[in-house]
């Protein structure tokens, strides 16, 4: 197990230990337990209809606290430690189940003691409260089910924590927005027309201006002759005698 995973385990389990102890304290403060009335000598006691109905108050308050604590703890912990969704979901469910057991045990220890022992020492007509305990075993499931619902709310909700990627850029995970569809849209995009960006006095790069037309004429320094004739050359100055 990697170091971040061990940190997630420690954070989630420690959170549910604190929530279980706090839930047991609040449960003990909210519940007004039903009472027995000692009717004679010995350990006998009776409970009227009103007191019998109050025995379900402990289960009702337990479920209310479990649903609130489980849902909001699953919501917050999954959003906070969502590096590994599968791991954090398993930790939330197991931690909530442990919190339910810890809440029941701590509330039971804080509540009244064994009523049988108290009835033996009580006088006739004295009221003895019952122990604070969960009567319906299904109430223990309220913690993990509520925590799982809170975790699923975070996992199924759209992620709003990451900033939106820049146009044409990539997201925080290194992928282009929309996956392959975004890449296909980028490939199919048409290049802007160059003719639209032309301005007065400038030529477009796609349609360069041609140079001015010129006509090259050859230059002959001397006129050529088509006929060849003979000429007599007379020297200037004294002419030596011929032999």
């Amino acid at each position: 197990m990697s170091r971040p995973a061990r940190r997630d385990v420690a954070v989630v389990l420690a959170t549910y230990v604190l929530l279980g102890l706090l839930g047991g304290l609040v449960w003990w403060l909210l519940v007004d337990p039903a009472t027995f009335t000692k009717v004679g000598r010995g350990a006998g006691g009776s409970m009227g209809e009103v007191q019998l109905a109050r025995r379900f108050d402990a289960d009702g308050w337990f479920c209310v606290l479990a649903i609130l604590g489980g849902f909001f703890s699953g919501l917050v912990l999954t959003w906070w430690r969502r590096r590994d969704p599968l791991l954090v979901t398993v930790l939330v469910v197991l931690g909530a189940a442990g919190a339910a057991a810890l809440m029941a045990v701590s509330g039971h220890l804080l509540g009244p003691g064994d009523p049988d022992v108290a009835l033996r020492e009580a006088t006739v007509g004295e009221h003895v409260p019952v122990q604070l305990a969960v009567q319906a075993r299904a109430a223990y499931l309220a913690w993990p089910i509520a925590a799982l619902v809170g975790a699923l709310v975070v996992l199924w909700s759209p992620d709003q924590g990451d900033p939106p990627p820049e146009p044409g850029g990539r997201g925080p995970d290194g992928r282009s927005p929309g996956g392959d569809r975004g890449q296909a849209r980028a490939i199919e995009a048409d290049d802007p027309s160059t003719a639209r960006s032309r301005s007065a006095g400038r030529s477009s790069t796609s349609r360069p201006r041609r140079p001015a037309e010129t006509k090259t004429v050859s230059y002959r320094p001397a006129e050529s002759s088509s006929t060849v004739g003979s000429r007599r050359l007379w020297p200037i100055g004294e002419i030596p005698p011929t032999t």
Side-chain angles (χ1 to χ4, degrees):
M1 184 180 295
S2 62
R3 185 174 180 181
R6 292 195 299 267
R7 188 182 298 111
D8 292 341
V9 173
V11 169
V12 173
L13 295 184
T15 301
Y16 278 110
V17 168
L18 295 177
L19 289 177
L21 295 175
L22 181 61
L25 176 61
V26 176
W27 185 41
W28 169 64
L29 293 175
L30 291 176
V31 175
D32 186 12
T35 57
F36 287 104
T37 302
K38 189 169 183 179
V39 293
R41 295 180 180 181
S46 65
M47 182 179 293
E49 295 181 358
V50 177
Q51 298 299 324
L52 286 174
R54 289 177 58 183
R55 297 199 65 174
F56 296 98
D57 291 349
D59 291 355
W61 281 113
F62 186 92
C63 292
V64 170
L65 295 175
I67 292 173
L68 293 177
F71 177 77
F72 287 106
S73 63
L75 193 74
V76 174
L77 287 174
T78 306
W79 174 81
W80 182 27
R81 317 298 298 185
R82 57 181 174 177
R83 184 184 301 105
D84 190 344
L86 179 60
L87 175 63
V88 75
T89 302
V90 174
L91 291 176
V92 163
V93 174
L94 295 179
L102 189 58
M103 176 178 170
V105 172
S106 60
H108 177 76
L109 295 177
L110 291 173
D114 189 358
D116 294 336
V117 177
L119 284 172
R120 283 194 296 264
E121 299 176 355
T123 60
V124 176
E126 186 177 354
H127 299 287
V128 177
V130 299
Q131 286 182 311
L132 183 60
V134 178
Q135 302 298 325
R137 300 301 179 186
Y140 289 103
L141 299 177
W143 262 101
I145 292 177
L148 179 61
V149 172
L152 293 178
V153 168
V154 176
L155 296 177
W156 289 347
S157 61
D159 189 5
Q160 301 294 337
D162 298 331
E166 298 181 358
R170 295 182 177 271
D173 56 353
R175 300 177 59 183
S176 59
D180 298 334
R181 291 179 297 176
Q183 183 179 4
R185 287 196 298 269
I187 296 176
E188 295 175 0
D190 295 331
D191 294 331
S193 177
T194 309
R196 297 179 181 178
S197 61
R198 297 182 61 182
S199 58
R202 295 184 179 181
S203 60
S204 172
T205 56
S206 62
R207 297 178 181 178
R209 181 178 296 176
R210 297 180 179 179
E213 295 182 358
T214 58
K215 182 178 181 182
T216 305
V217 180
S218 60
Y219 173 73
R220 292 179 294 181
E223 295 182 358
S224 59
S225 177
S226 57
T227 58
V228 179
S230 62
R231 295 183 180 180
R232 188 181 298 275
L233 299 178
W234 294 92
I236 300 175
E238 292 181 357
I239 302 174
T242 58
T243 58

